[in-house]
Amino acid sequence: MVAMIFTYAASGRPVEKGKRGMNCGRLDAIRRLGGMMMAAAMALSLLAAPADAGTAPPRPKLFIVISVDQFSAALFDQYRSRFSAGLKRLETQGVVFPNGYQSHAATETCPGHSTLLTGRHPSATGIIANDWRDRATGRNVYCVFDPSHTVPGRADQPRGPANLRVSTFGDWLKAADPRSRVVGVSGKDRAAIMMTGHHPDAVFWWDDERGFNTYVPAGRTAAAQLKPVAGFNDRLFAQWHGRPPAWQPIDSRCGTLAGPHSYGDFTIDHRVPPPMNGNGDFMRDAATRQWFRASPALDSVTMALAEKLIVEMKLGRGPAPDLLAISLSATDYIGHLYGNQGPEMCDQLAHLDRLIGTLLDRLDAMGITALVTLSADHGSIDAAERVAERGFAAERTSPAAMVKAISRSVRDSLKLDFDPLAGDGQQFYVTSSGSDPALKGRIIAAAVAALKRHAEIAAIFTADEIAATTPPRDKPVDELTLAERMAESYDAQRSGDILVAYRPYMSFGIPSPGRRAIAGHGSPWNYDRRVPILFWWPGVQGFEQALPVETVDIAPTLAGLAGITPPPVDGVCRDLDRGSASSCPITHEPE
Ligand code: ZN
C-alpha cells in the first residue's frame, strides 16, 4: 500500500508529491478523488477511468529531443519570464516539470546524456563519468572511446557507443519498426553518441578542424557517412575564412550583469560580446575556436544542421516515427568560460530562445507533427568568487592537486615506493601497484584518513560503502542521501575505490590566461542535479507539475507516446495528457 498526497497549484493545475517509480499522471482520477487517497482506491478509479478523446498527444511522427548542455533548473527559473520565442512556447503552452533531476552524483555531460534517452541511471548505463580509469591498463578511458568504429581524420580517436551498456529510445523505435530513423546532432561527440544509442542512421558532432564529423560503422564508408554534412561543412568554412562567426548581442537587459571580475589573478570584463581571445583566424587559431564554441554561433550551426537533416532525410514524413536528438553545447561552454550569472549567459539564453523558436516555426511551416522534449544533462554553479559575493561560503579547490597530495601522504605513511593513488579528485583509484588486496585495504584506509583532514571535503565513501547502498525505488529523488546519489552513478568495474564530495559551491581549478574556465559542474549538489523537463506538441494542453521527476522518466514517457513497450528501466512513464486519455500504458501504474 502506498499513500500519495495530491495538491492543487494556484493555477488549478494538479500537482502531486511524486515518488520515483510511480506514474504522476491520471490527473482526471486525481481531480475526481482529490485530497488524500489510498492506492487501492486510486487503482480502482484508474481502471474505471474512461479514455476520453480529445486532448491526448497525437502519436508523433517525429520525436525531437533537445538537450541544452548545462541548462540548470535554476537558470530556467531565473530567465523563464524573459523568454519570448521558442522557450516561451514550450514553457507557457507545454507540459512543464521545473524540478527534473539528474538523480545521480556524477553530474557530468556523458553520464547526464546517458540517462536522457535510456531511462536508466549511470549505474546501469555504465557511463559513470566523462572519463574513468581502466584498472587493467591504468589508462584513462573516454566515455565514447570505441575501437570498433573509426572517425574520419581522427585515426587516434575512435568513437562510438560501445561503453553504453543499455539500449536507447531510438534503439527501441527501430526494434519496433526498422523504418524509424534515428538521427543525432551535437556540439559534442559524447552528447550525440549517448542520445542516439547503438543503431543511429546519422550522428554528427562538431569537430573544430573538420566541421561536423561522425563515426563509421563496419561495412560503411567515411564518404557515405559524411555525405549529409560534406557540403554544409565546406560552406561554413568558406564563409568563416577571414570572417569568423560573430556574437551579436540581442538582449540589452543583460547589460546590468556586465563589469569586470577577478578570478585569482585573471580578470574577465564580462560584457557581450566577450572580447575574442584569439586572432580571429578560425582555420588556424585554437583560441579563436574556443571563443566560437563558447558563443551562440555553435548552437546556431548545430541547429542549422538539424533543420537541414529534417528536410533532406524527410524526418517525420516516413511510415514510422523518427527520432532527432539535438544536444546544444554552447550554454555549457559559456558557463565554463564566463560563469552562469554574467551577461554572457543572459544573452546566450536569449539566443537559445530565439533558435528554438525558429525551429518550431519551421516545423509549423512544414506541417510536421513533432513532439518536442527539452531537458539538460546537468546544471551548474557560478564561479566561486561571484557566489561568495552573494554571501555563500564558496571557494576554489583543485581536485587534481588533491589526488597528488593524498597519494604522496599515503606513500609516505605506508613507506611505499610507488604512487598509490590516481583519479580526477572525485574518484580515487588505487593504482595497479597497490592492487594486492591486503595492501589495497591499507591504502584505502590511509587515504580516507588523509582526506578527512581536508576541510573542503564534505563526504568520503569507499566503493564498498557505495556498492552496499541501494537507493529505494519509491523515495522521492530530492530526498536521496549523498550515498544514494553516488550509488546511482556507481559501477563496480569503472568507478573509483574512493568517492569524494567537495563542499557545496566549490569551483574546481584555478583560472589563468592558459586555463580560462572559471566555473563548472560535476558535484552531487542539487544545483548540478536539478534540470527542467519540458514537453510540447502542436495543440498541447499544458500543465505544470512542480514536484520532482527524473530525467530517466523521459525515455519511458516517449515510449508510451510512441506506443511501444520499453525494456525494464529505472524511470517511469509520465502522463502528459491531463488524464483525459492516457499517454502511458496501464502497466506502469503503482501496485
Ligand atoms: Zn554537459
Side-chain angles (χ1 to χ4, degrees):
M1 291 287 262
V2 181
M4 300 173 73
I5 298 168
F6 300 98
T7 57
Y8 289 85
S11 63
R13 290 167 170 175
V15 295
E16 157 195 343
K17 181 60 180 172
K19 293 183 174 181
R20 304 191 322 150
M22 196 174 282
N23 193 347
C24 73
R26 300 295 195 274
L27 302 173
D28 59 339
I30 295 165
R31 242 178 247 122
R32 273 204 307 279
L33 293 175
M36 205 177 231
M37 69 181 73
M38 300 303 287
M42 185 182 165
L44 280 174
S45 81
L46 295 173
L47 290 171
D52 297 347
T55 56
R59 184 142 294 181
K61 298 286 286 180
L62 176 60
F63 291 90
I64 297 180
V65 180
I66 301 171
S67 165
V68 178
D69 202 311
Q70 204 190 115
F71 191 32
S72 66
L75 274 182
F76 173 71
D77 294 343
Q78 183 179 356
Y79 285 100
R80 64 185 293 188
S81 66
R82 288 195 186 182
F83 297 141
S84 62
L87 286 169
K88 178 169 185 169
R89 278 174 83 178
L90 298 188
E91 73 95 16
T92 57
Q93 299 173 8
V95 179
V96 179
F97 297 97
N99 291 303
Y101 279 82
Q102 291 279 2
S103 321
H104 53 272
T107 50
E108 295 183 339
T109 294
C110 216
H113 279 94
S114 85
T115 73
L116 288 175
L117 287 173
T118 61
R120 307 302 307 269
H121 299 300
S123 52
T125 69
I127 308 301
I128 54 109
N130 283 348
D131 302 85
W132 55 85
R133 184 180 169 89
D134 182 319
R135 284 197 167 81
T137 64
R139 285 207 196 103
N140 185 67
V141 179
Y142 180 42
C143 60
V144 287
F145 175 80
D146 181 351
S148 67
H149 292 107
T150 58
V151 174
R154 298 285 178 192
D156 58 339
Q157 295 169 29
R159 295 285 178 262
N163 291 322
L164 178 64
R165 291 187 163 137
V166 297
S167 57
T168 60
F169 174 62
D171 297 326
W172 311 339
L173 280 179
K174 290 181 89 71
D177 190 331
R179 296 173 299 178
S180 286
R181 273 87 47 84
V182 175
V183 176
V185 184
S186 176
K188 297 182 183 177
D189 52 7
R190 54 190 179 274
I193 291 169
M194 286 298 136
M195 290 182 84
T196 47
H198 298 280
H199 305 288
D201 294 86
V203 53
F204 299 108
W205 62 85
W206 180 255
D207 174 327
D208 278 342
E209 289 166 23
R210 301 182 59 87
F212 284 98
N213 207 346
T214 189
Y215 64 81
V216 183
R220 310 267 184 86
T221 65
Q225 295 305 106
L226 287 170
K227 195 172 170 209
V229 295
F232 185 90
N233 288 336
D234 290 346
R235 279 191 296 279
L236 270 187
F237 286 134
Q239 186 187 324
W240 292 347
H241 214 91
R243 193 168 65 92
W247 178 339
Q248 298 289 345
I250 58 173
D251 190 340
S252 60
R253 291 171 293 186
C254 301
T256 57
L257 298 168
H261 269 76
S262 290
Y263 307 94
D265 56 3
F266 177 63
T267 299
I268 297 179
D269 278 348
H270 290 303
R271 54 190 160 89
V272 180
M276 190 180 283
N277 176 40
N279 63 15
D281 183 350
F282 188 92
M283 306 311 292
R284 279 182 278 278
D285 179 45
T288 300
R289 292 168 179 161
Q290 184 191 40
W291 182 93
F292 157 77
R293 283 197 303 274
S295 81
L298 176 60
D299 286 351
S300 291
V301 299
T302 306
M303 193 64 97
L305 177 59
E307 290 171 1
K308 176 182 177 327
L309 295 174
I310 291 173
V311 173
E312 293 184 0
M313 296 182 75
K314 298 187 168 58
L315 299 179
R317 297 182 186 282
D322 298 321
L323 167 66
L324 172 61
I326 305 169
S327 178
L328 299 170
S329 310
T331 303
D332 182 69
Y333 287 124
I334 288 166
H336 284 299
L337 219 50
Y338 308 112
N340 69 17
Q341 291 301 309
E344 303 92 345
M345 182 63 79
C346 173
D347 199 62
Q348 157 62 10
L349 293 180
H351 279 273
L352 182 71
D353 178 35
R354 183 184 280 188
L355 198 62
I356 292 169
T358 304
L359 171 71
L360 298 184
D361 290 346
R362 295 202 169 132
L363 291 169
D364 287 347
M366 288 187 277
I368 295 174
T369 303
L371 189 138
V372 179
T373 306
L374 185 141
S375 191
D377 56 341
H378 51 76
S380 66
I381 186 72
D382 196 28
E385 291 81 356
R386 274 197 306 216
V387 174
E389 280 178 11
R390 296 181 180 189
F392 296 94
E395 294 169 29
R396 289 194 171 274
T397 191
S398 169
M402 183 69 75
V403 175
K404 281 188 186 153
I406 300 298
S407 191
R408 197 181 312 119
S409 163
V410 174
R411 180 181 174 140
D412 291 348
S413 66
L414 298 184
K415 299 188 169 45
L416 304 173
D417 60 359
F418 60 91
D419 289 321
L421 293 163
D424 64 8
Q426 297 196 95
Q427 311 238 10
F428 288 71
Y429 295 81
V430 175
T431 57
S432 55
S433 307
S435 61
D436 168 69
L439 180 56
K440 184 174 178 178
R442 289 170 57 217
I443 291 170
I444 290 172
V448 168
L451 283 162
K452 281 183 177 165
R453 291 195 287 270
H454 288 265
E456 61 266 53
I457 288 174
I460 307 158
F461 299 96
T462 65
D464 288 346
E465 289 171 321
I466 299 302
T469 301
T470 305
R473 227 177 126 71
D474 61 350
K475 190 174 189 180
V477 62
D478 58 338
E479 296 173 10
L480 293 183
T481 64
L482 206 46
E484 287 164 351
R485 296 173 211 180
M486 292 205 169
E488 302 278 41
S489 49
Y490 175 79
D491 176 273
Q493 191 186 337
R494 295 174 179 174
S495 293
D497 299 301
I498 302 170
L499 288 79
V500 165
Y502 291 79
R503 284 207 327 260
Y505 310 119
M506 288 286 209
S507 285
F508 292 166
I510 313 300
S512 68
R515 185 198 176 281
R516 301 174 75 88
I518 64 165
H521 52 86
S523 83
W525 309 115
N526 281 354
Y527 50 73
D528 281 345
R529 296 170 73 224
R530 200 168 69 88
V531 295
I533 301 177
L534 313 176
F535 297 92
W536 177 94
W537 59 90
V540 56
Q541 293 192 30
F543 61 91
E544 181 153 343
Q545 209 269 43
L547 289 158
V549 296
E550 297 176 271
T551 56
V552 291
D553 298 339
I554 293 171
T557 299
L558 298 183
L561 294 164
I564 58 177
T565 306
V569 291
D570 296 318
V572 293
C573 180
R574 301 282 175 186
D575 266 359
L576 303 182
D577 56 18
R578 305 186 66 137
S580 54
S582 174
S583 60
C584 293
I586 196 80
T587 51
H588 288 275
E589 288 306 330
E591 291 171 2

